[in-house]
Amino acid sequence: MLKVEVRSIVKKEDRFYSHAETVSEEHWLAIISNDISYDGQFFYAVKTTGIFCRPSCKSRPPRIENVTIFQTADHALTENFRPCKRCKPTGQRLPDHEWVAVVTEYIDRNYMDNLTLESLAEICHGSPYHLHRTFKRIQEITPVEYIHMIRIKKAKEYLVETDKSISDVGHLIGMHNTSYFITFFKRMTGSTPLNYRHNPKDHRSE
């Protein structure tokens, strides 16, 4: 029987999760060892992905500070976490459009990180091939193309709304090589970042 410190409300990133529990050492050991004997005793949710899992889930272990514990799947669902596509904590398959929504939301929040198809698949609990195929079917572009689209969108905002240097803008969208950022931006928009900053109205239709 699990012995845990129960809190009626746990604060995570300015959010309050009702019915959540602190992560005990016992919880954490069960999660990182994929201990199937704890399945049904608790579920763990990852706030950075919005996904919740069984303790036995074979997905990459999250950081402990991003984890919160729920006694039931219903509690996790009530807090708007989505069931893992890999371990199916509700016993049902997560619909593809909901899984793609998880991936899309993760990219929107983490576009500045070193995201690849492989890392996204691991973080969002699927295979690279299935993610590529499913994402493209639903969003009509690939995950990598979506990452590029979001980065260009954010770069344009920084160029027009701030006075940050071209190098700083590149860093802010996850491109730390300034020359590559300039080349990438021009390939995607037909304009250099500097020209776009001076003449954004010329590119409104992009």
Side-chain angles (χ1 to χ4, degrees), residues 3-150:
K3 295 181 180 179
V4 294
E5 175 191 353
V6 179
R7 295 178 181 175
S8 59
I9 297 178
V10 176
K11 187 175 182 181
K12 294 281 189 179
E13 260 188 359
D14 298 323
R15 278 200 57 189
F16 290 97
Y17 297 124
S18 301
H19 310 293
E21 299 180 1
T22 56
V23 183
S24 70
E25 182 179 0
E26 189 174 5
H27 285 133
W28 186 239
L29 289 175
I31 292 168
I32 62 176
S33 62
N34 311 125
D35 193 336
I36 195 171
S37 68
Y38 284 92
D39 282 5
Q41 296 191 46
F42 74 89
F43 299 85
Y44 72 92
V46 185
K47 65 183 180 181
T48 50
T49 63
I51 293 173
F52 74 98
C53 301
R54 303 174 189 270
S56 65
C57 187
K58 298 295 184 181
S59 298
R60 183 175 67 182
R63 293 184 178 183
I64 191 170
E65 63 268 23
N66 294 329
V67 173
T68 189
I69 302 297
F70 293 101
Q71 283 296 307
T72 70
D74 283 343
H75 286 161
L77 290 169
T78 297
E79 300 295 346
N80 296 317
F81 287 99
R82 293 184 172 95
C84 171
K85 196 174 182 69
R86 181 172 289 169
C87 70
K88 302 180 179 64
T90 62
Q92 299 177 333
R93 180 177 177 274
L94 179 66
D96 285 344
H97 71 276
E98 290 190 24
W99 185 49
V100 169
V102 169
V103 178
T104 303
E105 290 166 8
Y106 186 84
I107 294 172
D108 289 345
R109 294 193 304 268
N110 300 279
Y111 62 88
M112 71 296 295
D113 293 342
N114 182 26
L115 299 180
T116 65
L117 181 63
E118 289 72 23
S119 66
L120 275 176
E122 182 65 26
I123 290 165
C124 296
H125 303 186
S127 73
Y129 173 77
H130 184 60
L131 172 58
H132 178 93
R133 183 182 62 178
T134 306
F135 195 98
K136 186 172 183 179
R137 174 169 54 82
I138 292 174
Q139 295 283 40
E140 299 184 343
I141 58 175
T142 69
V144 172
E145 288 170 340
Y146 185 77
I147 293 168
H148 290 170
M149 184 183 75
I150 292 298

Side-chain angles (χ1 to χ4, degrees), residues 127-188:
S127 73
Y129 173 77
H130 184 60
L131 172 58
H132 178 93
R133 183 182 62 178
T134 306
F135 195 98
K136 186 172 183 179
R137 174 169 54 82
I138 292 174
Q139 295 283 40
E140 299 184 343
I141 58 175
T142 69
V144 172
E145 288 170 340
Y146 185 77
I147 293 168
H148 290 170
M149 184 183 75
I150 292 298
R151 284 178 170 171
I152 287 296
K153 177 184 175 183
K154 295 297 182 180
K156 288 178 176 179
E157 292 175 1
Y158 284 124
L159 288 168
V160 174
E161 298 173 8
T162 76
D163 59 357
K164 294 183 182 298
S165 69
I166 301 302
S167 176
D168 285 345
V169 171
H171 279 274
L172 287 168
I173 67 166
M175 293 187 171
H176 304 292
N177 183 312
T178 303
S179 295
Y180 178 77
F181 166 57
I182 293 171
T183 300
F184 171 79
F185 190 93
K186 187 173 183 179
R187 185 175 76 245
M188 296 291 289

